[in-house]
Amino acid sequence: MSFELTTQQMRQQAQITLSSLAKHNRGEWPLICGVPQLVDCDGPSGSLTLAYHTLPQMSNALGIVHGGVTATMLDNCMGITSCVMAGHITPTVTITVNYAKPVPLDATIHVRTRTVSKGRTTVHLLAEIFLSSHPDEALVSATGVYYAAPTQSRP
């Protein structure tokens, strides 16, 4: 499926969205994982690849990245992609996360998102977390639906 954005347009919109997030991020929830860095994008396929560095405060009792943190990373990255595709903030409608392998601490991980469909009111996405050294091995994957209809301003 081809979308309306060129890769250059998508890169510009992604950088604007990430800059806006960085201005509002104080290390608090829901951005406890910080603001990701843009690695790659493809406008016609509606996909972004973003990077995070996993930190000790993201750990669970097993010494790996907590599942809630990985879910947040996936939700943030799909939300960023949806925002770029819709042209405005898009709240999460639903997200389903599947955990295949542990996400290590003190590692740079990548989150690859792909837009499945963009309708009048929703954007449907897929995402996966992987190590850059193993791009074909998803550690955690997710699907998400984001509300993309323009919001009506209230009087």
Side-chain angles (χ1 to χ4, degrees), residues 57-76:
Q57 61 265 33
M58 297 175 177
S59 73
N60 64 13
L62 298 173
I64 57 176
V65 178
H66 190 284
V69 174
T70 58
T72 299
M73 290 175 176
L74 290 161
D75 187 29
N76 285 345

Side-chain angles (χ1 to χ4, degrees), residues 100-119:
K101 296 185 176 187
V103 176
L105 293 171
D106 195 28
T108 299
I109 55 126
H110 289 185
V111 179
R112 180 173 34 229
T113 64
R114 184 173 61 85
T115 305
V116 175
S117 65
K118 177 182 177 275

Side-chain angles (χ1 to χ4, degrees), residues 57-151:
Q57 61 265 33
M58 297 175 177
S59 73
N60 64 13
L62 298 173
I64 57 176
V65 178
H66 190 284
V69 174
T70 58
T72 299
M73 290 175 176
L74 290 161
D75 187 29
N76 285 345
C77 291
M78 286 190 291
I80 290 164
T81 305
S82 179
C83 179
V84 168
M85 297 303 292
H88 55 85
I89 294 173
T90 55
T92 307
V93 174
T94 183
I95 183 172
T96 301
V97 181
N98 298 296
Y99 300 91
K101 296 185 176 187
V103 176
L105 293 171
D106 195 28
T108 299
I109 55 126
H110 289 185
V111 179
R112 180 173 34 229
T113 64
R114 184 173 61 85
T115 305
V116 175
S117 65
K118 177 182 177 275
R120 190 174 52 79
T121 59
T122 60
V123 179
H124 180 204
L125 295 116
L126 300 174
E128 58 188 4
I129 292 175
F130 63 94
L131 297 171
S132 60
S133 59
H134 296 88
D136 295 325
E137 186 178 327
L139 304 176
V140 183
S141 61
T143 60
V145 176
Y146 294 78
Y147 184 73
T151 57

Side-chain angles (χ1 to χ4, degrees), residues 14-28 31 34-37 80:
Q15 291 292 12
I16 290 167
T17 302
L18 291 168
S19 293
S20 177
L21 286 174
K23 287 180 188 174
H24 294 94
N25 182 29
R26 294 178 203 90
E28 300 166 354
L31 294 175
V35 177
Q37 299 297 310
I80 290 164

Side-chain angles (χ1 to χ4, degrees), residues 25-55:
N25 182 29
R26 294 178 203 90
E28 300 166 354
W29 190 262
L31 294 175
I32 194 166
C33 48
V35 177
Q37 299 297 310
L38 181 63
V39 174
D40 196 15
C41 68
D42 181 70
S45 69
S47 67
L48 290 175
T49 301
L50 300 140
Y52 286 102
H53 189 77
T54 58
L55 303 169

